[in-house]
Amino acid sequence: MTRQANARGRAAGHPAAVLAGIDIGGTTTQAILCTPDLDVLDRAETPTPAAEGGEAMVGAALDALRRLLDRTPARLLGVGVGAAGVVDARAGRVLVASDSFRDWAGFPVTGTVERALGIPAFLDNDVNAFLRGETARGAVVGEAHVLGMTLGTGVGGALWLDGALYEGPRGAAGEIGHVPGFGDLPCTCGGRGHLETLASGRSLAARYAERTGREATAREIARAARRNDPDALAVYGAAGAAVARAILLTAGLLDVATFVIGGGVSGSWALLEPALTKALAAEPPVSGHPVRALQSRLGGDAVALGAAARAREGLDAWAGTRDVGPTGSTTP
């Protein structure tokens, strides 16, 4: 199936072939359908049954995907899945997962999806998928060297070097969230002084509670900061300054000057950016090259779209060229 044929199908209102991307998060799972050129056609969300185990989690994702396919009759070429935790992309299974997920570590994600749909499936870490999405259709299209950061429940990172994802020999390249040097606060991973202790949604709530004695979510703290609550502003200021320090460390070590930041906390960009920009200006990298810190352009679609991009990459490798697609079967 050529891209020209796909374009003719889209012009007629019925795409001839589609890719799917799935983002399995701790609370919400998102599925999208997109063209082989990564134009999003439709999306659906469903709660993640994280406490019910891997079968239930993948089952919920597949149910969401089938709803989309019912609305968009087309031949599904492949599925990409972005999942939290450390993953073995080649084996298609989760290696390490947080205690938020039951029976997720060791779960055969791609095998389960392939048995259910009869088409190729591909697995990626969720932050890697986020960066794939942003380099393909988001804030850093065309950039050869980028660090991606997600500020959500935790803090994740991924590296894009020489125009491709760089995972490192053990798959942990770019994981700036758990690099020490950010104070001495205890981190959820068991270490101390990690970026995650200052810049994640969970840590924003903890730091605010330490200052005020009041419990609040990151969203509630953001609303308070917009009302000029000094404690809320201080918490976001510390987070922005910490993210800037992580950026400067990366720029100094790798000579990377472009950074894209996503995740739920980045939705309050106007609260993070002032301290971030001030810290970057105060201590520019040794290269003298200006550093750019950009907010995610894709927002909630970034991981799912990046997972679809991973599927396209895998299918292209199998097919030998980007213009000749696989002979995938019709989905149920």
Side-chain angles (χ1 to χ4, degrees), residues 294-319:
L294 306 172
Q295 185 183 19
S296 164
R297 185 177 295 167
L298 297 176
D301 282 346
V303 173
L305 189 67
R310 170 68 184 92
R312 184 178 72 174
E313 178 183 300
L315 292 169
D316 285 344
W318 286 0

Side-chain angles (χ1 to χ4, degrees), residues 27-263:
T27 57
T28 302
T29 292
Q30 179 171 352
I32 65 166
L33 285 183
C34 62
T35 70
D37 293 320
L38 303 180
D39 296 318
V40 177
L41 300 168
D42 202 357
R43 58 177 61 80
E45 285 190 358
T46 190
T48 300
E52 298 176 29
E55 287 285 353
M57 292 163 63
V58 173
L62 290 172
D63 288 344
L65 177 55
R66 290 189 177 102
R67 292 199 301 273
L68 295 180
L69 292 169
D70 287 343
R71 301 199 295 250
T72 308
R75 185 162 64 94
L76 184 59
L77 298 174
V79 180
V81 180
V86 179
V87 307
D88 183 339
R90 292 183 179 179
R93 69 177 61 236
V94 178
L95 295 179
V96 180
S98 76
D99 56 9
S100 301
F101 301 93
R102 177 175 170 265
D103 296 335
W104 192 226
F107 189 79
V109 178
T110 58
T112 304
V113 172
E114 289 175 346
R115 285 193 298 273
L117 299 177
I119 57 170
F122 304 86
L123 179 64
D124 218 345
N125 166 268
D126 57 349
V127 187
N128 289 351
F130 160 78
L131 185 51
R132 287 184 194 275
E134 290 294 333
T135 56
R137 297 300 297 269
V140 288
V141 172
E143 294 286 341
H145 308 283
V146 186
L147 177 76
M149 300 172 62
T150 55
L151 313 179
T153 304
V155 173
L159 271 174
W160 190 261
L161 299 178
D162 292 322
L165 189 74
Y166 178 72
E167 298 178 86
R170 284 164 290 278
E175 285 294 351
I176 194 70
H178 293 283
V179 172
F182 296 85
D184 193 45
L185 293 165
C187 185
T188 56
C189 70
R192 301 185 75 89
H194 296 173
L195 174 62
E196 188 167 301
T197 66
L198 296 173
S200 70
R202 188 182 302 171
S203 67
L204 288 173
R207 304 293 80 79
Y208 186 74
E210 288 169 358
R211 295 177 69 93
T212 67
R214 301 192 302 272
E215 293 188 0
T217 66
R219 187 170 297 178
E220 291 167 341
I221 297 166
R223 286 199 291 267
R226 294 186 187 102
R227 296 193 300 268
N228 293 319
D229 178 324
D231 293 304
L233 287 170
V235 165
Y236 268 94
V243 170
R245 176 171 169 75
I247 286 173
L248 290 169
L249 286 171
T250 305
L253 287 172
L254 297 176
D255 198 22
V256 171
T258 302
F259 300 80
V260 59
I261 301 170

